[in-house]
């Protein structure tokens, strides 16, 4: 096998302003508590029975390779809103995987988080899988000069 | 070493309509037989002597981290065509790696698959490597409301 | 843990013309000395005390899964400049991670490399981390028909 399937996850979010788009994103990662790691984006399934922990409980190795699913958006129009949200659907049957959805837009967080929660409902619906619970987490930011928002489900190992 | 180099691969394809672009993509992955995994996109080389298997022969761990190369395109203009295709070039010398190419466009599959096959020929040509065979696989979809197509070479381990 | 944290890195760069954007990118990877591998893009931190080596000293497995951070840009307007640059900030305290930044633009390399170096300075500044040294590396290319440039920090293991 390639690598062990992760068995814990945490939901994180951050926002920041920076001199460039990448600096704003980098600061948003630091704000979210996952800066100083090497994030590797993946399509977005929650392994069966993965346990939720708080990001503060995980001691990520500095520069370590960390799999995650995330929503992000940046912009440089002063005064515009940007929002990113992540939602995780937990199945009733804990031998089945969950579904992670990401969404971001130039909109307020209520709108973006409402959409990403519906995306999870749809994901369970066309899988014919019973949904026990949706957990969602997001962040809204009004751009000053060059802003970025980030919301993620980070997978790891206990 | 980071992780073992994969030694098998399969070609997959899927298409779907969804309420959002990400839902359509998620359904296309399920349609392709690789939903419910965590896909990690990579630049696109076939390890030497990797063996082709059918996706049905692989038992991917639910939520497992799966490396792959893929083409994808989505759209929400009713009636427009979208196509995605993957091509794998197998070298004559099986100690050498193969080349995987991806292409997608608002076009019919014949056009898209023709281009991706030529991309493999070019990839062998400027490597000065002898090409034994090209395998290609793709999918075409006429958009109803919000459609997505997906074609991939998935790498794994036997 | 998922995978061991890398402990060496190299800076590479390449440029090429190709018949398609992906072929130009593929040739730029070959030109950089990292073709024929499966590159997996990550957000961009240098593990503490990682040692710099020349790409020629690393024997990457053919088709192996290689983590890296990169800048890339392509274009098909004859005569236009494209440049990509990578910069790595090394901290004074070698138990702390470094910061890798990527930037690319339709501009000359001096401009692009100047920006990416400033991005590293900013990244250390808002981390309140002391910067010992910046290493940067980049490439400029004048497009003939369809060109691509690529500059990367590739992480690996000794």
């Amino acid at each position: 096998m390639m690598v062990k399937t992760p068995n814990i996850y945490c939901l994180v979010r951050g926002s920041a302003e920076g001199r460039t788009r990448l600096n704003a994103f980098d600061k948003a990662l630091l704000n979210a508590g996952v800066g100083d790691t090497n994030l590797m984006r993946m399509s977005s399934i929650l392994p069966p029975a993965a346990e939720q922990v708080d990001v503060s409980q995980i001691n990520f190795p500095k520069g370590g390779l960390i799999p995650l699913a995330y929503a992000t958006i940046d912009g440089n129009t002063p005064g515009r809103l940007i929002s990113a949200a992540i939602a995780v659907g937990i199945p009733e049957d804990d031998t089945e995987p969950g579904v992670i959805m990401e969404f971001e837009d130039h909109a307020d967080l209520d709108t973006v988080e409402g959409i990403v929660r519906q995306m999870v409902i749809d994901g369970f619906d066309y899988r014919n899988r019973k949904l026990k619970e949706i957990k969602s987490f997001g962040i809204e930011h009004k751009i000053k000069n060059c802003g970025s928002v980030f919301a993620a489900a980070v997978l790891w190992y206990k």
Side-chain angles (χ1 to χ4, degrees), chain A:
Chain A
M1 222 187 67
M2 182 200 181
V3 290
K4 233 180 76 184
T5 300
N7 53 18
I8 61 172
Y9 71 101
C10 58
L11 301 183
V12 299
R13 63 184 177 191
S15 67
E17 294 278 320
R19 199 194 304 242
T20 67
R21 296 167 61 203
L22 183 55
N23 280 292
F25 179 69
D26 180 42
K27 282 173 80 174
L29 298 184
L30 290 166
N31 181 238
V34 294
D36 286 336
T37 66
N38 280 311
L39 303 174
M40 304 192 85
R41 200 173 197 173
M42 49 172 220
S43 80
S44 41
I45 295 296
L46 189 71
E51 187 187 316
Q52 189 178 10
V53 301
D54 190 81
V55 66
S56 64
Q57 296 174 258
I58 304 182
N59 192 16
F60 293 112
K62 292 170 181 174
L65 303 168
I66 315 288
L68 85 168
Y70 65 83
T72 190
I73 184 170
D74 54 44
N76 52 18
T77 308
R80 272 198 101 177
L81 274 187
I82 46 175
S83 297
I86 193 98
V88 179
I90 313 292
E92 284 201 357
D93 177 351
D94 74 359
T95 68
E96 288 298 312
V99 172
I100 306 171
M101 290 284 174
E102 313 94 48
F103 192 66
E104 62 274 305
D105 205 353
H106 287 279
D108 62 276
L109 180 57
D110 272 2
T111 303
V112 167
E113 197 163 348
I115 290 169
V116 81
R117 291 178 68 91
Q118 181 62 47
M119 289 165 72
V120 167
I121 292 169
D122 286 4
F124 273 74
D125 193 42
Y126 52 66
R127 280 175 171 81
N128 296 311
R129 191 173 296 161
K130 287 214 173 135
L131 176 60
K132 187 168 86 179
E133 181 188 1
I134 302 178
K135 297 172 185 188
S136 61
F137 207 48
I139 191 160
E140 172 186 303
H141 176 74
K142 186 176 277 191
I143 297 166
K144 292 191 194 73
N145 291 289
C146 176
S148 175
V149 286
F150 165 81
V154 180
L155 303 188
W156 202 239
Y157 306 89
K158 72 166 179 186

